[in-house]
Amino acid sequence: MDNRKADKKLKIVEEWCKGCNICVAFCPTNVLELRNNKVAIADIDKCTKCGLCELRCPDYAIYLEGSEDEK
Amino acid sequence: MKNRKVKLMQGNEACVEGALAAGMKFYAGYPITPSTEIAEICSQKLPLVGGKFIQMEDEIAGMAATIGGSLAGLKSMTATSGPGFSLKQENIGYAALAEVPCVIVDVQRAGPSTGLPTAPSQGDIMQAKWGTHGDHPVIALSPTSVKETFDLTVKCFNLSEKYRTPVMLMLDEIVGHMREKIEIPEADEIEIYDRKKPTQDEVDTYKAYRVNEGEIVPAMASFGEGFHFHVTGLMHDEFGFPSNDADTADKLLRRIMNKISDNVDDIVMFEEEFMEDAEMVVLAYGGTYRSARSAVKKARAMGLKVGLFKAITIWPFREKRVIEIAKDQKKILVPELNLGQYVLEVERIVAGKTEVHSLGKVNGEAITPDEILAKIREVL
Amino acid sequence: MSSQLIKNNFRMDRLPHIWCPGCGHGIIMRSMAQAIQNLGLDKQKVCIVSGIGCSSRAPGYMDFNTLHTTHGRALAFATGVKLANPELKVIVVTGDGDCSAIGGNHLIHTARRNIDITTIVFNNNIYGMTGGQYSPTTPTNDFGTTAPFGNIDKAFDICKLVDGAGATYVARGTAYHVNQLTKIIEKAISNIGFSLVDAISICPTYYGRKNKKGTAVQMMNYLKDSAVDTKVAEKLPPEKLENKFFIGEFKNTTEPEYTEEYMKIIKKYQKER
């Protein structure tokens, strides 16, 4: 992983997640899973920080913190 | 002597002149007889003062764009007649709840439906108050002459800005289309009221629907001035955000109703003549008042003790004075170009303390002085 | 705690939003915010106007000048705002029913005028807020609570409708192809004239259930598998295009913009300052 992504950290806002399963289904490396209808990290090591989960989360309940747009 | 311009002017034109004098800078409407001259003249005159005119695709859009223009900071007006007035009702209710100042001119024509498009009527009086759904504040004025059309259009703008509410000018085809001499007051003679705005240092604390101490209505920012605020037709809290909370809804609706009912004395205008010895009063408004006045003068010349009451503010109704008239045992006759609408309000207020009579006409013609005189003699 | 994008562009205290689990509207709303941020627009000058329906709750969450109007009338309100203050960048959020059923008359006329307004249609093929009735974009034979025997209407192609009416930028995106959608919205906003983005959303709660389209994930996969970019489509044989729908940019022209034309009149005829 190049250093630009190294500082990013996957964050979950559990109270906003409505368990729609979109992030889990479209994560290319199966990092995520639903636990009692909330998104949870199954295997963080596989996360490539691609951000597809944040991109398609309808409820803003998962995102990469520390991405370059942090001012 | 002030060098006031003296002109022969059509009522509809005087309405536009009054609107311009009041600071109107935005008009959105749709052609409909007998109001179209208002749109035409606005299209000619607004660009001259840096204002904007737009002909929309229907009256619903006309009312919507008028509200949009006001929210962007311009004094806005629209004009129509019965069919268009019916189409505008939902958005008039929106302006009432969202407290958006704007002026709606209804040049009444014989209804219902397409009716008699070029014939006068006063058949939209109840629609002005109850046309849109739900309880909501209403201010409506009705001019009896070309000069009054000028003055009352200015008044409509001032009231809409002061009370942050839509105000209706209930013209009728008689006054709208007639031409009369008019002395146009100098600019400095005309009292102009502008909406109270929040100051720039309130940018971060501004609540779009909070009424500050000693104020009647919330200060009103315009879009684009640095205040990020929300406007909705849903019941809303002080920030303007939707709220289903019962107390919030109750408090908001009663506030916007009370801002009118608590200030009736400031809003209501009426005139009286020949009342001292009157045993009977002719209560009239709009174009019909002109016939009523000459009928009353004829009656008095015949020794009949008849007074004359001109309702200028139609809504809210002038309750206090009418109750006094009723207590003085003066009978009341209400001539109007409908089958008895405003008379219902008089009857409600008088509640049997005196006789109330109606003289209605719906054949598309104006009520003549002689018709009113005949009714006076019948009632007295 | 939220991402920077959300903190910068949303009214945090108004979140989470009211949309159902798996509804595509949240994705599209975020894409709008991303586009606005990418363009570096002055937030003071952005005004977002909406009608009534699920889509139209969006402005309440977004930290701009926001106006939530009456059903179908967003474009008419927005026209008033834009003409009164042409400096504002006016964006309309509307639903398929809101803009093409009750609002159809305003849609075609606003497009005809080519006034500088960007319209984002949150198109989920159903009336969601009122509980799943079919709308003008519900496909024929599909079901809605008011089409229990299958919809006999023919659906609008909103893009073709506004193209024919005079819009100068027309495109379609989906809640699955989010990066493309963001780019499309950026170009739509940048177009000085009437722009429309038909943003295909998903409604698992009503349209999905009523038509057995499966879960939110299955509906997203449908978007992924059935959307074909209009540029690619040209090179594909007909059988490859069967029951696919086209996304991407359909129209990008320049015509005189309504408020600019009106300001020329003012400049020419204005007497009193």
Side-chain angles (χ1 to χ4, degrees):
Chain A
M1 252 189 296
D2 57 47
N3 56 36
R4 194 167 50 77
K5 286 194 177 177
D7 54 18
K8 285 193 210 164
K9 209 165 162 309
L10 191 59
K11 287 275 183 185
I12 287 175
V13 184
E14 204 172 284
E15 57 276 19
W16 283 6
C17 171
K18 294 176 185 162
C20 72
N21 205 35
I22 287 176
C23 60
V24 174
F26 291 103
C27 168
T29 55
N30 301 317
V31 171
L32 304 168
E33 64 183 10
L34 280 189
R35 277 191 217 125
N36 51 59
N37 210 29
K38 295 281 183 179
V39 60
I41 295 170
D43 186 346
I44 193 64
D45 301 337
K46 291 202 214 140
C47 176
T48 65
K49 314 283 176 72
C50 69
L52 286 180
C53 53
E54 176 177 4
L55 200 63
R56 293 204 183 92
C57 173
D59 299 292
Y60 320 146
I62 188 165
Y63 64 97
L64 287 171
E65 190 177 55
S67 38
E68 66 293 354
D69 59 13
E70 300 270 29
K71 285 191 202 49
Chain B
M1 234 296 273
K2 292 246 183 266
N3 49 24
R4 290 188 190 142
K5 274 185 280 175
V6 178
K7 279 192 157 183
L8 179 66
M9 194 180 277
Q10 187 190 54
N12 281 347
E13 184 185 358
C15 174
V16 178
E17 292 302 326
L20 291 167
M24 170 187 69
K25 284 290 188 299
F26 191 87
Y27 178 95
Y30 188 81
I32 181 169
T33 301
S35 72
T36 312
E37 295 85 358
I38 295 175
E40 289 168 340
I41 297 165
C42 279
S43 70
Q44 295 151 17
K45 299 223 166 173
L46 274 168
L48 275 56
V49 295
K52 283 124 190 217
F53 163 89
I54 184 166
Q55 180 171 297
M56 296 296 282
E57 50 272 20
D58 55 41
E59 285 93 345
I60 301 168
M63 191 64 227
T66 299
I67 295 170
S70 183
L71 286 167
L74 301 184
K75 289 188 179 183
S76 303
M77 179 170 96
T78 185
T80 190
S81 185
F85 197 42
S86 295
L87 289 174
K88 289 179 189 289
Q89 291 300 324
E90 183 192 1
N91 284 339
I92 289 173
Y94 181 93
L97 185 64
E99 297 183 270
V100 181
C102 55
V103 173
I104 302 105
V105 182
D106 178 16
V107 188
Q108 298 168 90
R109 80 192 203 179
S113 184
T114 313
L116 297 165
T118 57
S121 156
Q122 294 174 305
D124 308 348
I125 290 304
M126 283 299 180
Q127 184 176 22
K129 182 170 174 60
W130 298 109
T132 194
H133 56 286
D135 293 290
H136 56 279
V138 177
I139 298 178
L141 314 182
S142 188
T144 65
S145 69
V146 170
K147 174 69 166 63
E148 251 186 24
T149 301
F150 179 95
D151 297 336
L152 292 188
T153 303
V154 174
K155 190 71 180 171
C156 281
F157 272 96
N158 289 346
L159 288 171
S160 78
E161 294 283 314
K162 183 173 182 181
Y163 293 101
R164 278 194 66 173
T165 192
V167 174
M168 284 162 250
L169 185 70
M170 300 306 285
L171 261 167
D172 52 62
E173 191 275 334
I174 298 169
V175 179
H177 272 171
M178 74 184 325
R179 280 178 174 73
E180 239 180 352
K181 188 185 101 173
I182 173 174
E183 257 183 55
I184 300 178
E186 293 286 312
D188 51 31
E189 286 181 84
I190 302 171
E191 187 224 342
I192 301 291
Y193 192 98
D194 294 325
R195 65 192 69 172
K196 286 230 169 62
K197 295 183 75 67
T199 53
Q200 274 308 324
D201 52 38
E202 287 177 272
V203 169
D204 302 324
T205 57
Y206 177 57
K207 284 185 182 174
Y209 288 92
R210 180 188 56 208
V211 182
N212 295 325
E213 252 326 291
E215 296 292 341
I216 305 168
V217 289
M220 184 174 176
S222 304
F223 288 142
E225 285 176 342
F227 300 89
H228 299 207
F229 61 100
H230 186 61
V231 177
T232 180
L234 285 167
M235 277 298 174
H236 44 271
D237 60 25
E238 278 195 341
F239 289 96
F241 292 120
S243 164
N244 289 337
D245 172 58
D247 294 342
T248 306
D250 186 80
K251 220 174 101 216
L252 171 63
L253 190 54
R254 288 178 195 278
R255 173 174 71 74
I256 63 174
M257 295 298 280
N258 295 338
K259 71 182 177 183
I260 305 300
S261 52
D262 292 348
N263 293 288
V264 169
D265 293 337
D266 175 44
I267 296 169
V268 172
M269 294 170 288
F270 65 95
E271 282 170 16
E272 290 180 343
E273 265 184 289
F274 320 118
M275 293 294 275
E276 307 70 28
D277 64 349
E279 295 160 13
M280 169 184 168
V281 174
V282 178
L283 184 154
Y285 56 96
T288 303
Y289 169 82
R290 306 170 72 87
S291 300
R293 187 159 192 279
S294 55
V296 166
K297 285 168 74 179
K298 276 186 186 170
R300 295 199 70 86
M302 298 159 64
L304 300 174
K305 295 186 171 63
V306 188
L308 184 61
F309 181 101
K310 181 205 290 183
I312 300 169
T313 303
I314 302 296
W315 308 111
F317 184 75
R318 178 68 278 172
E319 298 199 5
K320 256 189 298 182
R321 184 64 191 116
V322 171
I323 292 170
E324 284 161 12
I325 293 172
K327 280 204 187 104
D328 297 348
Q329 286 310 304
K330 300 178 195 288
K331 298 177 187 173
I332 300 174
L333 167 62
V334 182
E336 47 190 331
L337 287 173
N338 54 51
L339 289 176
Q341 288 188 25
Y342 208 53
V343 67
L344 299 176
E345 197 70 2
V346 175
E347 280 167 2
R348 181 180 70 80
I349 302 298
V350 161
K353 291 191 202 66
T354 184
E355 283 174 31
V356 177
H357 297 269
S358 167
L359 174 58
K361 193 169 183 184
V362 287
N363 67 354
E365 294 166 353
I367 301 175
T368 65
D370 289 343
E371 283 167 336
I372 297 174
L373 182 58
K375 187 70 180 179
I376 289 172
R377 300 175 71 178
E378 187 196 306
V379 165
L380 261 184
Chain C
M1 48 153 184
S2 277
S3 75
Q4 208 50 48
L5 176 72
I6 301 302
K7 279 188 222 144
N8 292 348
N9 297 288
F10 287 83
R11 293 166 166 144
M12 297 303 292
D13 52 358
R14 304 301 304 170
L15 291 173
H17 56 63
I18 59 163
W19 296 315
C20 307
C23 166
H25 287 7
I27 303 168
I28 296 168
M29 181 165 75
R30 183 183 174 284
S31 173
M32 276 179 66
Q34 185 73 68
I36 291 169
Q37 184 166 292
N38 293 352
L39 292 171
L41 296 181
D42 173 359
K43 287 178 75 163
Q44 322 289 25
K45 297 296 177 198
V46 172
C47 178
I48 304 178
V49 184
S50 67
I52 292 291
C54 297
S55 66
S56 296
R57 284 306 192 97
Y61 304 117
M62 302 182 80
D63 187 19
F64 299 91
N65 301 283
T66 53
L67 174 58
H68 181 206
T69 72
T70 46
H71 192 32
R73 317 304 174 187
L75 281 166
F77 276 83
T79 298
V81 172
K82 180 66 184 182
L83 181 59
N85 183 358
E87 273 172 32
L88 293 173
K89 179 54 82 176
V90 178
I91 300 168
V92 165
V93 168
T94 182
D96 40 299
D98 189 57
C99 78
S100 75
I102 186 170
N105 195 25
H106 313 306
L107 180 64
I108 54 174
H109 286 279
T110 313
R112 175 178 60 82
R113 288 193 194 94
N114 193 40
I115 187 168
D116 182 19
I117 288 175
T118 304
T119 302
I120 316 290
V121 185
F122 286 37
N123 185 353
N124 57 3
N125 303 120
I126 199 88
Y127 280 98
M129 183 67 85
T130 40
Q133 299 73 38
Y134 77 101
S135 86
T137 61
T138 301
T140 310
N141 301 325
D142 267 8
F143 295 91
T145 57
T146 45
F149 310 112
N151 176 25
I152 57 173
D153 288 23
K154 191 170 174 305
F156 267 144
D157 178 328
I158 292 180
C159 289
K160 286 189 178 136
L161 185 64
V162 292
D163 174 10
T168 41
Y169 182 89
V170 182
R172 174 177 294 125
T174 88
Y176 177 80
H177 307 83
V178 186
N179 285 326
Q180 180 200 37
L181 177 64
T182 303
K183 282 282 160 290
I184 281 174
I185 293 174
E186 281 171 41
K187 288 185 78 179
I189 292 173
S190 309
N191 170 51
I192 306 299
F194 186 77
S195 315
L196 183 131
V197 175
D198 186 14
I200 306 300
S201 188
I202 60 171
C203 172
T205 300
Y206 289 113
Y207 181 70
R209 246 180 337 161
K210 207 68 187 167
N211 290 284
K212 298 185 179 51
K213 302 278 179 179
T215 64
V217 170
Q218 285 166 301
M219 294 184 80
M220 286 288 266
N221 275 319
Y222 170 80
L223 296 183
K224 178 175 145 224
D225 302 334
S226 314
V228 174
D229 195 294
T230 183
K231 291 189 192 61
V232 170
E234 285 144 15
K235 305 187 204 68
L236 291 176
E239 64 279 6
K240 272 263 192 285
L241 299 177
E242 254 164 51
N243 45 53
K244 300 274 191 215
F245 66 93
F246 300 127
I247 59 174
E249 204 174 88
F250 301 128
K251 186 176 182 183
N252 188 359
T253 57
T254 316
E255 299 277 351
E257 193 274 329
Y258 192 86
T259 60
E260 283 175 1
E261 292 308 303
Y262 198 87
M263 296 312 281
K264 287 179 192 165
I265 294 174
I266 290 180
K267 197 176 259 100
K268 194 170 171 194
Y269 295 97
Q270 182 167 9
K271 293 202 187 83
E272 297 159 31
R273 274 287 152 268

